[in-house]
Amino acid sequence: MAEKGIRTLSLFSGGGGLDIGFEQAGFEILFATDFDHDCCETLRQNRGNTLPEKLVVAEQDITTMDFSILPDNIDMIIGGPPCQTFSASARRAGGAAGKLDKRGNLFESYVEVVRKVQPKAFLFENVRGILGTNKGKDFEDIVSAFAAEGYTIEHRILDAEDYGVPQQRERMFIVGHRLNKPFLYPKPVYGPDSTKHAPYLKVGDVIAGLVMSEQDKIETSFAGGKYARLLPLVPPGSNYLHFTAKRGYPNPVFAYRSRFSDFLYKANPETCVKTLIASPGKYTGPLHWDNRYLTISEYKRIQGFPDEHVFSGDRASQIRQIGNSVCPKVAYYMALAIKEQVFDSKTDIEYLSPDDTLSFDKRKGQKAKETKAIHQAVAEKSKSVVVSAFHLKDFSTSVMPSSLGKNTMRVVHDSEGNVTITVQCGSSKETEAVLDLEIYDGITQNAKIPMKVILLGNDERDIQTMWNAVDIWVKECSSFRSLLELYGHFTEPHPIFKIKKFELKTDLPVFQFAKYYANFENCGVYADKKLLLSMWKDKFRQDDFVELARTLRTFRYDVRCHETNIAIPQGVYMVAYPFALPLDKQMNFNIKGH
């Protein structure tokens, strides 16, 4: 390790990823701070281990911190404020809030520290999405705020796999400096952009030799759950898409793009893995090719942490700290680049020129072409081999899943493949709604199943019962587990069914609402709140939109608005899906204040 002397302050330190990389490059981390207790305990436990023995750890909220506790004569500041408001996961909820969320303004505290300390340089890390939130204005504001303190600002997107981490992980790195020339970023050490075109590290090689404890075996078991049986069938490197018609699966379980790419994603030991995330769900990968979850030790190696670096907290907390951290190896190369250019300390790394373009975006484009070719080949093959996703059958019961309550349904299909579902709600005798659907059956989407849903019922909640009946039919007559699987995620729908006609014989507002959103073009787009309130003008006042949205959510319509996601502007709302959803399938169900 190089001689110490570059006095460094660490903000938003998390699990210590940046700190380790800079420490290894010869920087002296004097002070680290974070709001999270487990993160601070992690930093404390690693003093004298992977971090300096005399490191001061301040468990404080940076927005209220007394800056007088900071050490004097600081040369360098490093840190990566929380990224959730700029991330892809935020966009999945209907929009990345960026600075609209108070977490998106934590950079202002970073700027305050820079103003007080006046370091020679600083490094600011965040997700790639920070460049685009609020049409790019957030990033402009961040750059302007730092530049106002007298710093030249450079930024680049770097991918961790280029620097010795077996993980595809793109992150944005800002360097603020006062050089009289551009700051140059470190050239990749691995991959096609490296000088020697060294092959990327294989995740199987990186985690080889780790021994699982008995506790590890318990914690990483993938048993239980409705999709657990599918994992052994997923080829390494693939995900839930393996079970789609577009990939040629004979009895499709999912529609194409009905899940996110990390769902049932199994790592391939011969390649890098996709990005580790901080809060994985039950079926979120990367999952081990031995059909289990990864151990904490494997997480650490995949993120580039030393084996000896320990994390505080339970398993979920440790995964969160690892997933939120900067890869120490990327931090190391960034530290060397800063050390040589800002602090005149010779290193042996190579640099990218300011106009060099890295190839990770190009590689994504190539992969998209390969995927398209796979789908085309499957479609060509299906012309001679008819693959049906559905097995039509008649059924009628008086005792159905809880989603029907005390109501009943009867399904009949005729010799021409037409399906009729009659939904009986209570003692109603009159037909109040008729829904005509068309469901595509097969890989090529040429064959179609005409479906008519007849609703006998005029209670406000009967409209969701109609959709529940369709959902039950999907489960009974196919390998799909829900209607949602046929539609896809609202941010990029690829439906294999469409609504041809929606006839109503009632003027109940929720029925009119359902008919409006039966038009796919009205889903997933902003609409004026006055439109929604006008449907309930006799029940809700103009200032009662939040209560109306809450009511519709109890009717299982996924209404999203500023009160559920701050990224959605005031005065508008959106409905993600044309059909009712179980509450646990809706995003951000709890409207603030209600």
Side-chain angles (χ1 to χ4, degrees):
M1 186 176 293
E3 182 181 353
K4 303 291 182 181
I6 304 175
R7 295 169 61 82
T8 302
L9 174 64
S10 172
L11 307 177
F12 310 101
S13 305
L18 269 176
D19 304 47
I20 291 172
F22 273 75
E23 187 71 18
Q24 290 175 340
F27 287 69
E28 185 178 7
I29 312 295
L30 302 174
F31 183 98
T33 181
D34 202 281
F35 178 76
D36 183 86
H37 175 69
D38 283 347
C39 287
C40 289
E41 280 298 299
T42 292
L43 299 172
R44 295 184 186 107
Q45 289 181 26
N46 285 285
R47 287 185 292 206
N49 179 25
T50 56
L51 297 173
E53 187 169 356
K54 296 182 180 180
L55 173 67
V56 175
V57 178
E59 185 176 332
Q60 294 195 29
D61 182 345
I62 195 171
T63 63
T64 58
M65 179 188 291
D66 179 0
F67 292 157
S68 67
I69 68 174
L70 301 176
D72 297 327
N73 302 317
I74 290 296
D75 300 311
M76 182 73 195
I77 298 178
I78 59 176
C83 65
Q84 290 87 348
T85 63
F86 303 105
S87 69
S89 61
R91 293 193 295 277
R92 295 173 183 179
K99 284 179 57 189
L100 297 174
D101 188 307
K102 65 180 181 179
R103 294 174 298 172
N105 291 286
L106 288 172
F107 78 91
E108 293 176 352
S109 297
Y110 197 132
V111 173
E112 285 187 47
V113 177
V114 169
R115 182 181 304 128
K116 173 180 173 53
V117 173
Q118 291 293 303
K120 293 181 180 179
F122 63 85
L123 179 142
F124 177 105
E125 179 271 352
N126 217 283
V127 294
R128 180 172 183 165
I130 198 172
L131 296 170
T133 57
N134 295 312
K135 298 181 179 180
K137 189 174 186 307
D138 290 347
F139 188 68
E140 290 178 9
D141 290 347
I142 292 170
V143 169
S144 296
F146 281 122
E149 301 304 321
Y151 291 88
T152 299
I153 307 300
E154 316 271 3
H155 76 276
R156 250 195 191 273
I157 305 298
L158 301 180
D159 192 339
E161 66 180 345
D162 287 338
Y163 300 92
V165 179
Q167 179 187 170
Q168 298 165 352
R169 188 182 186 89
E170 296 171 18
R171 291 296 183 267
M172 190 277 299
F173 291 86
I174 288 178
V175 174
H177 61 86
R178 288 170 171 156
L179 302 172
N180 58 8
K181 59 183 180 180
F183 174 81
L184 302 180
Y185 282 75
K187 188 172 185 177
V189 182
Y190 296 85
D193 297 321
S194 64
T195 299
K196 297 181 180 180
H197 301 288
Y200 288 128
L201 299 185
K202 301 176 181 179
V203 68
D205 292 340
V206 170
I207 67 174
L210 291 173
V211 179
M212 291 183 67
S213 67
E214 290 304 313
Q215 184 62 28
D216 285 336
K217 294 176 182 178
I218 295 172
E219 292 181 343
T220 61
S221 172
F222 200 72
K226 63 181 179 180
Y227 296 121
R229 62 180 178 81
L230 297 179
L231 185 60
L233 304 178
V234 178
S238 189
N239 56 10
Y240 82 95
L241 289 171
H242 175 71
F243 303 103
T244 64
K246 273 186 173 288
R247 297 293 168 88
Y249 200 73
N251 295 298
V253 181
F254 305 99
Y256 185 62
R257 289 184 177 173
S258 62
R259 290 289 189 271
F260 296 108
S261 62
D262 50 20
F263 191 84
L264 287 177
Y265 164 55
K266 182 187 290 185
N268 183 345
E270 297 300 314
T271 66
C272 295
V273 298
K274 296 178 182 180
T275 305
L276 296 181
I277 66 172
S279 300
K282 181 177 178 62
Y283 302 105
T284 301
L287 301 161
H288 197 280
W289 48 91
D290 285 342
N291 304 313
R292 59 172 175 80
Y293 296 107
L294 297 170
T295 67
I296 295 298
S297 296
E298 289 166 343
Y299 265 100
K300 288 197 297 186
R301 284 200 182 177
I302 293 172
Q303 191 75 347
F305 277 96
D307 288 349
E308 60 270 24
H309 189 77
V310 297
F311 284 91
S312 177
D314 59 17
R315 175 179 167 87
S317 176
Q318 293 183 52
I319 291 173
R320 176 174 51 80
Q321 292 174 64
I322 296 170
N324 280 332
S325 67
V326 179
C327 295
K329 291 186 178 181
V330 182
Y332 171 74
Y333 284 103
M334 283 299 303
L336 290 180
I338 293 169
K339 184 178 180 182
E340 181 166 66
Q341 296 174 76
V342 177
F343 297 99
D344 299 319
S345 181
K346 183 65 178 175
T347 70
D348 59 358
I349 66 170
E350 298 180 280
Y351 294 101
L352 294 164
S353 67
D355 57 352
D356 280 342
T357 300
L358 296 175
S359 63
F360 43 76
D361 283 336
K362 183 179 180 180
R363 295 198 299 272
K364 290 178 193 173
Q366 181 59 39
K367 185 175 180 180
K369 289 181 181 179
E370 293 170 357
T371 298
K372 186 176 181 180
I374 292 172
H375 295 166
Q376 185 62 38
V378 171
E380 289 294 324
K381 184 178 180 181
S382 70
K383 290 179 179 179
S384 58
V385 180
V386 177
V387 178
S388 175
F390 294 88
H391 43 275
L392 303 184
K393 64 178 181 179
D394 295 349
F395 61 91
S396 176
T397 71
S398 57
V399 180
M400 290 301 293
S402 58
S403 58
L404 273 188
K406 295 181 179 180
N407 306 313
T408 62
M409 63 181 285
R410 182 168 182 265
V411 177
V412 177
H413 76 278
D414 61 26
S415 59
E416 296 181 357
N418 299 297
V419 175
T420 301
I421 300 176
T422 303
V423 183
Q424 175 71 57
C425 296
S427 59
S428 297
K429 303 295 184 182
E430 298 294 325
T431 298
E432 299 293 348
V434 178
L435 179 65
D436 284 323
L437 299 173
E438 199 167 63
I439 297 178
Y440 298 102
D441 182 22
I443 296 171
T444 60
Q445 297 193 348
N446 291 327
K448 301 171 184 176
I449 301 174
M451 175 182 292
K452 186 183 296 290
V453 184
I454 301 170
L455 176 66
L456 281 67
N458 59 4
D459 184 83
E460 286 184 322
R461 296 186 182 278
D462 289 345
I463 197 73
Q464 74 181 43
T465 305
M466 177 186 67
W467 282 116
N468 291 345
V470 179
D471 194 61
I472 291 168
W473 177 84
V474 169
K475 295 176 184 177
E476 288 285 328
C477 295
S478 74
S479 298
F480 296 111
R481 299 303 296 265
S482 73
L483 178 60
L484 186 60
E485 311 293 1
L486 304 187
Y487 186 77
H489 192 266
F490 83 92
T491 57
E492 195 172 13
H494 295 266
I496 61 174
F497 79 94
K498 68 178 182 179
I499 300 171
K500 296 183 65 177
K501 188 165 58 174
F502 201 160
E503 296 181 88
L504 294 179
K505 296 183 179 180
T506 175
D507 58 359
L508 280 174
V510 71
F511 280 69
Q512 300 295 332
F513 170 85
K515 181 176 181 178
Y516 180 82
Y517 282 101
N519 181 349
F520 289 176
E521 293 182 359
N522 293 329
C523 297
V525 297
Y526 292 154
D528 194 315
K529 287 181 178 178
K530 294 178 181 177
L531 170 67
L532 192 59
L533 286 163
S534 67
M535 298 181 187
W536 275 269
K537 58 181 180 291
D538 296 331
K539 187 172 182 180
F540 292 92
R541 301 189 312 273
Q542 288 296 305
D543 59 352
D544 274 351
F545 176 82
V546 170
E547 188 60 31
L548 173 54
R550 183 171 177 268
T551 299
L552 283 169
R553 280 176 170 248
T554 67
F555 292 159
R556 294 177 39 172
Y557 275 96
D558 193 0
V559 178
R560 306 183 185 190
C561 53
H562 184 77
E563 289 76 13
T564 65
N565 184 340
I566 199 170
I568 297 176
Q570 293 277 12
V572 299
Y573 73 99
M574 62 174 285
V575 173
Y577 302 96
F579 44 81
L581 281 171
L583 297 185
D584 63 350
K585 298 299 182 184
Q586 298 183 24
M587 285 195 176
N588 299 316
F589 175 67
N590 291 318
I591 295 179
K592 296 174 183 176
H594 293 265

